[in-house]
Amino acid sequence: MAEWLCSGLQSRVRRLNKRQIIKKFKWFDPALHTQEKKVSFEEAKILIREQFLENIRLQLRSDVPIGITLSGGIDSSAIACAIRYIQS
């Protein structure tokens, strides 16, 4: 029997007396990781840019050369530009 797993969920499978027990649960809840802040649009732009660049910096830590695959979309293009900015 096929089991489907929706996005944002993970599953654990156990065997108990020749039966499979599949438990599904959320692996990430964005509500737990947010803090409401009252900031202006200009401040929000700066905060988002800083957080975006910091996330890229963290992903660039490597002891081997890295590469990037571009889909041509705005997200992969933004990541490629951020890498270029950080490495220059």
Side-chain angles (χ1 to χ4, degrees):
M1 174 185 352
E3 287 283 335
W4 293 93
L5 192 61
C6 297
S7 60
L9 296 179
Q10 70 177 356
S11 66
R12 293 215 174 120
V13 180
R14 285 187 10 205
R15 287 195 153 248
L16 184 63
N17 298 330
K18 298 184 181 182
R19 285 186 42 209
Q20 261 189 348
I21 299 172
I22 300 172
K23 184 178 179 182
K24 298 178 185 179
F25 51 96
K26 284 176 113 175
W27 64 272
F28 180 73
D29 186 359
L32 297 176
H33 302 280
T34 60
Q35 294 177 350
E36 190 172 326
K37 294 181 180 180
K38 301 285 185 191
V39 295
S40 70
F41 180 75
E42 293 302 317
E43 291 172 313
K45 283 194 318 187
I46 293 167
L47 290 171
I48 289 170
R49 182 177 189 276
E50 288 173 353
Q51 186 63 59
F52 178 71
L53 290 173
E54 180 58 24
N55 289 338
I56 299 296
R57 274 188 201 93
L58 290 173
Q59 295 301 317
L60 288 175
R61 294 182 300 184
S62 176
D63 57 352
V64 295
I66 62 163
I68 182 170
T69 303
L70 298 175
S71 66
I74 193 167
D75 53 347
S76 62
S77 299
I79 292 168
C81 289
I83 291 170
R84 183 91 186 243
Y85 174 80
I86 290 167
Q87 291 181 339
S88 63

